[in-house]
Amino acid sequence: MFIRRLPKFEYHTPASMAEALGLLKKYGLKARVIAGGTDLLLAMKKRAVAPEHLVNVKNIKTMKGISYNEKKGLKIGALVTLEELEGSALITEKAPALWDAVCVMASPQVRTLATIGGNLCSAVPSADTAPPLIAMGAEAVLSGPKGERTVLVEKLFKGPAQTKVARNEILTHIQIPKQPDRSSAAYLKLMRRAAMDLALVGVAAYVCLDKDEKTCKEVRIALGAVAPTPIRAPMAEQMLMGKEVTQALAEETGKVAGTVCSPITDVRASLGYRCDMVEVLTRRAVMEAFGRINGKKR
Ligand SMILES: Cc1cc2nc3c(=O)[nH]c(=O)nc-3n(C[C@H](O)[C@H](O)[C@H](O)COP(=O)(O)OP(=O)(O)OC[C@H]3O[C@@H](n4cnc5c(N)ncnc54)[C@H](O)[C@@H]3O)c2cc1C
C-alpha cells in the first residue's frame, strides 16, 4: 500500500493527567491520544485518520510501571511497552498468558515503542494482548472529565477499531485481579510466519481447579482474530465446568469453540481454516493452562 507523508498536526506533551484531559476537552474530536505511535502514525500516513492535535501521554508518570498487590493483583500502566512486559519477572510469574502474547508480537524494535494501552485502544480484532487479559478477568481503568471508571477488558470493544474509551478519556492502567491458587492461563497464536505477523487466530484459556485439584471450578476462553472484536466462548467454557480436564474433553471443548466464532475470509486465511485452527488452539491452550497449574512448563 502507498504510504504518504504525515499530514500536518499540532503536537502536545502534557506532564499530567489533568493537563492531558484538559487538552482533549479543548480540542474535542480534532485531538487524538498518542502513546508509542506504532498504530496511529501508520493510520495517519494512510489518511485513515487525520487528527489536527496529537496529545502525547508518554510523560504522565501515573500511567507507567508494573506493580503487584496481594489484594488487588497486578497493575499495568497503559504506557508499559511490550518490551517491558516481556522482560518483567512479575508478568512471567503472575500473568504467563500475557507474557506468551507479548513474546510473539511484532519485532523487538516495535516492542520498544508499542504500549499495552495502545494495543487495546487500537481495538483491532487480532490485538494479541486482548485474549489473555480477557481470560484473566482484567479490567481497564479510564480517566475522564467525570473522574475514573472501570470497564472489563471483555466489554471494552465495540467493533473493529472501536472501543468504549470516549474521545475525552484516557486509558490509565490495566488491573488483573489476583489469580486464585490452582489456576493458570495460556495464550497461543497462529501466524503465517514465525514472527512479525498478526494473528490468524489467537486463543487464551484460563483454568481454575477446585480443591480436589482435578475438577474445573472456573474456565474462561477468549478468542482473537475470529470475530469483529475479541470474544469469549462461553459454550466452550461450559464443556469444562465441573469436569476433570482430559485430552478428550479439551478436544470436545475445541470443537465447540470452533463453532462460536465468526471469522472472515481474507488474503491471510479462509473462514473455514480459521475455525479449524480455533479448535486446535483451544484444545492446546486448555491443556497448556491445565499443565501449568501442575507446574509443567512448555
Ligand atoms: C510492524 C508492526 C508489527 C505489529 N505486530 C503486531 C502484533 O503482532 N500483534 C498486535 O497485536 N499488534 C501488532 N502491531 C500493532 C501495534 O504495534 C500495537 O497495537 C501497539 O501495541 C500499539 O501501541 P502504541 O502505543 O504504539 O499505540 P498508538 O499507535 O500510540 O495508539 C493506537 C491507538 O490507541 C489510542 N491510544 C493509545 N494509548 C491510549 C491511551 N492510554 N488511552 C486512550 N487511547 C489511547 C490512540 O489514540 C490510537 O487510536 C504491529 C505494528 C507494527 C507497525
Side-chain angles (χ1 to χ4, degrees), residues 32-42 57 63 78 82 104-107 110 113-119 121-122 124 126-129 165 169-172 189 196-198:
R32 280 259 181 174
V33 169
I34 183 167
T38 62
D39 274 328
L40 184 60
L41 294 178
L42 287 185
V57 288
M63 291 174 65
L82 305 180
V104 288
M105 286 174 77
S107 62
V110 174
L113 287 170
T115 64
I116 187 167
N119 191 241
C121 292
S122 286
V124 293
S126 60
D128 282 304
T129 63
V165 185
E169 286 183 314
I170 293 174
L171 169 61
T172 61
K189 172 182 183 178
M196 273 290 279
D197 205 0
L198 299 180

